[in-house]
Amino acid sequence: MKNSWYEKKLEDFAKLGGYKKPEKFDDVLKLDSNENFVISKKFQQDVIAYAKSNSDVREYPLGGVEKLVSKLAKYLKVSENMIGVGNGSDQILDLFLANMASKKTRILTSDPTFGFFEERCKLYAIPCTKIPFSSDMKLDIEKFNSNLKKCHILYLDSPNNPTGFQFSKAQLESLIKKFDGLVIIDEAYGEFGDSSIVSLTKKYDNLIVVKTFSKAFGLAGLRIGYFVANKKIVEVFNQVLQYPYPLNTLAIEAGIASLDKVDQMKEASEIIKSERKKIIENLRKYDAFTVFDSNANFVLFDAKGADKRVFSALVEQGISIRKLGKIGSHSGCLRVTVGTKEMNSKFLLAIRDLLG
C-alpha cells in the first residue's frame, strides 16, 4: 500500500527533530532551564492561594484576560489596547510566525537565537538570515544594518538565549528606525538586563516586544506570556489570531496577584544580577573555561571540548546544567542558571572539586 499524503507529512516533520528540552534527572539541583528559584516559595504560595480563592474553574474565563491586561498596562505604563497575552511567550511567537510569515518571508536573526523560534521557522519553512556571534559572544550591529533590506522580519531575543548578550536600547532603536518590516524583540529575560524597549512601542508601529511571567516572576509552570505593540497589531492578534480563551483561570488570577508583588520580583532580580557576577568571576579563575558576559539569569561558558566530562561530573554530584556543545568557534559550551546563593555555592564548589 502506498504511503498516504499524511504519512509523508509525518515523515517530513520527524526529520525536523523539534525543540530539544533538557535531559531529565531525578534528585538533582536543577540549573538547566533558566528557572527563577530566587523568588521566594512564599511568593508562589501567595499568588496560587489568591488564584484559588478568586477562581471558579467550572466557568470559562470570560473577562479574565481583560483584567490581567488592565493590570499589565499599569505595570508597563502603556495603554490597555497595546497588550496581548498568550499561553507562554512561545505561543505568541508561534502565532505571529504561522500567520505573518511564509516561505517567501525572510527573517533576520542571530546565530544562535532562541531554540524554539528557530525550530518553528524550520517547521514553517521560513528562510532565515543569521548573523553569527563573535568569538566573545557579541553581535556586530553593522552586520544587521547591512542585511535589513534583504529581510521582512527582524527577530532578536534581548538578552539572547543562550549567550546572555544584549544590544543597548539606542542600538535597537537605530535598527528599528532603519527597518520598514516587522520587528519582534523577545524580552523574556529583560528584567535581568540593562534596559527594556517597551516604551518604544509608542513610537514605532512595526515593533512587537514579547515578554513573560516565566522568568523574573518565577511562574514558568503557569505559562503566561504577553506582548506590547501598536493597537492595530494587538487588535488583529486578539480578535483573529489568538484563541478565544488563551489562558486558564488560575493562570490569569495568579498573574494579577503577582503584579501586586512587583517589588518582590525586582528584589529577586537584583539578587540574581549580583549572584550572576559572582558566578562569572569565579568561573574565570579557571583556565579550563572561557566565560562570557551575561545580562540574563544564566551564564554561558566554554569548557573547551571538555563539556561532556564537566556535565557528567556535575550530574554525579547532583547538579544538572545545560549541555549545548558547539556555538560558533567554541566547541564545548555549557550554560548554568543563576540560582539562589546556596545553589550557586554548591555549583561553584562542585566545579572547584572537579578542577582542583
Side-chain angles (χ1 to χ4, degrees), residues 23 303-316 321-326 331-334 354:
E23 296 177 55
K304 303 176 183 179
D307 51 316
K308 292 178 182 177
R309 183 173 70 87
V310 172
F311 176 83
S312 298
L314 288 173
V315 170
E316 287 177 8
I321 65 173
R322 195 66 177 265
K323 181 172 55 180
L324 298 172
K326 185 172 175 59
S331 59
C333 290
L334 297 162
L354 176 62

Short mmCIF file of all heavy atoms in Angstrom, two decimals, residues 23 303-316 321-326 331-334 354:
data_model
loop_
_atom_site.label_atom_id
_atom_site.label_comp_id
_atom_site.label_asym_id
_atom_site.label_seq_id
_atom_site.Cartn_x
_atom_site.Cartn_y
_atom_site.Cartn_z
N GLU A 23 17.79 17.31 29.45
CA GLU A 23 17.66 15.95 29.97
C GLU A 23 17.02 15.97 31.35
O GLU A 23 17.23 16.90 32.13
CB GLU A 23 19.04 15.28 30.05
CG GLU A 23 19.71 15.10 28.70
CD GLU A 23 21.10 14.49 28.84
OE1 GLU A 23 21.22 13.42 29.46
OE2 GLU A 23 22.06 15.10 28.34
N ALA A 303 33.81 25.03 27.92
CA ALA A 303 34.72 24.11 28.63
C ALA A 303 35.78 23.55 27.69
O ALA A 303 36.49 22.60 28.03
CB ALA A 303 33.93 22.98 29.27
N LYS A 304 35.88 24.13 26.49
CA LYS A 304 36.96 23.83 25.54
C LYS A 304 37.08 22.35 25.22
O LYS A 304 38.15 21.75 25.34
CB LYS A 304 38.28 24.39 26.07
CG LYS A 304 38.25 25.89 26.36
CD LYS A 304 39.53 26.39 26.97
CE LYS A 304 39.43 27.87 27.29
NZ LYS A 304 40.65 28.41 27.92
N GLY A 305 35.97 21.76 24.84
CA GLY A 305 35.98 20.35 24.45
C GLY A 305 35.74 19.38 25.58
O GLY A 305 35.51 18.19 25.35
N ALA A 306 35.77 19.88 26.82
CA ALA A 306 35.57 19.00 27.99
C ALA A 306 34.15 19.13 28.52
O ALA A 306 33.87 18.75 29.66
CB ALA A 306 36.57 19.35 29.09
N ASP A 307 33.24 19.63 27.70
CA ASP A 307 31.89 19.91 28.17
C ASP A 307 31.15 18.65 28.63
O ASP A 307 30.45 18.67 29.65
CB ASP A 307 31.07 20.63 27.10
CG ASP A 307 31.12 19.92 25.75
OD1 ASP A 307 32.20 19.51 25.34
OD2 ASP A 307 30.05 19.79 25.11
N LYS A 308 31.32 17.55 27.90
CA LYS A 308 30.63 16.31 28.28
C LYS A 308 31.15 15.79 29.61
O LYS A 308 30.38 15.30 30.45
CB LYS A 308 30.80 15.26 27.19
CG LYS A 308 30.07 15.61 25.90
CD LYS A 308 30.29 14.57 24.81
CE LYS A 308 29.58 14.98 23.53
NZ LYS A 308 29.83 14.03 22.42
N ARG A 309 32.45 15.91 29.82
CA ARG A 309 33.05 15.44 31.07
C ARG A 309 32.58 16.30 32.24
O ARG A 309 32.22 15.78 33.31
CB ARG A 309 34.58 15.47 30.97
CG ARG A 309 35.29 14.91 32.21
CD ARG A 309 36.80 14.80 31.98
NE ARG A 309 37.42 16.10 31.90
CZ ARG A 309 37.87 16.78 32.97
NH1 ARG A 309 37.70 16.29 34.19
NH2 ARG A 309 38.46 17.95 32.82
N VAL A 310 32.58 17.61 32.05
CA VAL A 310 32.14 18.52 33.12
C VAL A 310 30.66 18.29 33.42
O VAL A 310 30.26 18.20 34.59
CB VAL A 310 32.38 19.99 32.71
CG1 VAL A 310 31.75 20.95 33.72
CG2 VAL A 310 33.88 20.28 32.59
N PHE A 311 29.86 18.17 32.37
CA PHE A 311 28.42 17.93 32.54
C PHE A 311 28.17 16.66 33.34
O PHE A 311 27.40 16.65 34.32
CB PHE A 311 27.75 17.85 31.17
CG PHE A 311 26.29 17.51 31.22
CD1 PHE A 311 25.34 18.49 31.44
CD2 PHE A 311 25.85 16.20 31.05
CE1 PHE A 311 23.98 18.19 31.48
CE2 PHE A 311 24.50 15.88 31.10
CZ PHE A 311 23.57 16.88 31.31
N SER A 312 28.82 15.56 32.94
CA SER A 312 28.61 14.27 33.61
C SER A 312 29.11 14.30 35.05
O SER A 312 28.46 13.73 35.94
CB SER A 312 29.33 13.16 32.83
OG SER A 312 28.80 13.03 31.53
N ALA A 313 30.23 14.96 35.28
CA ALA A 313 30.79 15.04 36.63
C ALA A 313 29.85 15.82 37.55
O ALA A 313 29.68 15.45 38.73
CB ALA A 313 32.16 15.71 36.59
N LEU A 314 29.21 16.86 37.03
CA LEU A 314 28.27 17.63 37.83
C LEU A 314 27.02 16.83 38.14
O LEU A 314 26.49 16.88 39.26
CB LEU A 314 27.91 18.93 37.11
CG LEU A 314 29.01 20.00 37.06
CD1 LEU A 314 28.59 21.16 36.16
CD2 LEU A 314 29.34 20.52 38.45
N VAL A 315 26.54 16.07 37.16
CA VAL A 315 25.36 15.22 37.39
C VAL A 315 25.66 14.22 38.50
O VAL A 315 24.81 13.96 39.37
CB VAL A 315 24.94 14.50 36.09
CG1 VAL A 315 23.88 13.43 36.39
CG2 VAL A 315 24.39 15.50 35.08
N GLU A 316 26.87 13.66 38.49
CA GLU A 316 27.26 12.71 39.54
C GLU A 316 27.24 13.36 40.92
O GLU A 316 27.02 12.69 41.93
CB GLU A 316 28.65 12.15 39.24
CG GLU A 316 28.67 11.17 38.07
CD GLU A 316 30.07 10.68 37.76
OE1 GLU A 316 31.00 11.00 38.54
OE2 GLU A 316 30.24 9.99 36.74
N ILE A 321 23.19 21.04 34.65
CA ILE A 321 23.25 22.27 33.89
C ILE A 321 22.94 21.94 32.44
O ILE A 321 22.69 20.78 32.11
CB ILE A 321 24.61 23.00 34.06
CG1 ILE A 321 25.75 22.17 33.46
CG2 ILE A 321 24.86 23.31 35.54
CD1 ILE A 321 27.09 22.92 33.46
N ARG A 322 22.98 22.91 31.55
CA ARG A 322 22.61 22.66 30.15
C ARG A 322 23.85 22.42 29.30
O ARG A 322 24.77 23.24 29.29
CB ARG A 322 21.82 23.84 29.59
CG ARG A 322 21.08 23.54 28.27
CD ARG A 322 19.98 22.53 28.47
NE ARG A 322 19.22 22.28 27.26
CZ ARG A 322 18.09 22.88 26.94
NH1 ARG A 322 17.57 23.79 27.76
NH2 ARG A 322 17.44 22.58 25.84
N LYS A 323 23.85 21.34 28.57
CA LYS A 323 24.94 20.99 27.66
C LYS A 323 24.54 21.45 26.26
O LYS A 323 23.58 20.97 25.68
CB LYS A 323 25.17 19.47 27.69
CG LYS A 323 26.30 18.98 26.81
CD LYS A 323 26.58 17.49 27.07
CE LYS A 323 25.33 16.65 26.90
NZ LYS A 323 25.53 15.23 27.12
N LEU A 324 25.30 22.40 25.71
CA LEU A 324 24.96 23.00 24.43
C LEU A 324 25.92 22.62 23.31
O LEU A 324 25.56 22.69 22.13
CB LEU A 324 24.90 24.53 24.56
CG LEU A 324 23.85 25.06 25.54
CD1 LEU A 324 24.02 26.55 25.74
CD2 LEU A 324 22.45 24.76 25.04
N GLY A 325 27.15 22.27 23.66
CA GLY A 325 28.11 21.87 22.63
C GLY A 325 28.66 23.04 21.84
O GLY A 325 29.00 24.08 22.40
N LYS A 326 28.70 22.91 20.53
CA LYS A 326 29.34 23.90 19.68
C LYS A 326 28.47 25.13 19.46
O LYS A 326 27.32 25.03 19.04
CB LYS A 326 29.70 23.29 18.33
CG LYS A 326 30.49 24.23 17.41
CD LYS A 326 30.98 23.50 16.18
CE LYS A 326 31.66 24.46 15.20
NZ LYS A 326 32.82 25.16 15.81
N SER A 331 33.70 25.06 21.05
CA SER A 331 33.29 23.67 20.81
C SER A 331 32.59 22.99 21.98
O SER A 331 31.93 21.98 21.79
CB SER A 331 34.52 22.84 20.43
OG SER A 331 35.49 22.90 21.47
N GLY A 332 32.72 23.53 23.18
CA GLY A 332 32.19 22.81 24.34
C GLY A 332 31.41 23.68 25.29
O GLY A 332 31.76 23.81 26.47
N CYS A 333 30.32 24.28 24.82
CA CYS A 333 29.59 25.26 25.62
C CYS A 333 28.61 24.62 26.60
O CYS A 333 27.92 23.65 26.29
CB CYS A 333 28.85 26.23 24.71
SG CYS A 333 29.96 27.34 23.82
N LEU A 334 28.57 25.20 27.78
CA LEU A 334 27.65 24.82 28.84
C LEU A 334 26.96 26.09 29.34
O LEU A 334 27.54 27.18 29.29
CB LEU A 334 28.41 24.16 30.00
CG LEU A 334 29.12 22.85 29.68
CD1 LEU A 334 30.18 22.56 30.74
CD2 LEU A 334 28.13 21.70 29.60
N LEU A 354 36.08 19.55 40.98
CA LEU A 354 36.37 18.90 39.68
C LEU A 354 37.70 19.35 39.11
O LEU A 354 38.48 18.54 38.60
CB LEU A 354 35.23 19.24 38.70
CG LEU A 354 35.39 18.74 37.26
CD1 LEU A 354 35.46 17.21 37.22
CD2 LEU A 354 34.26 19.26 36.39
#
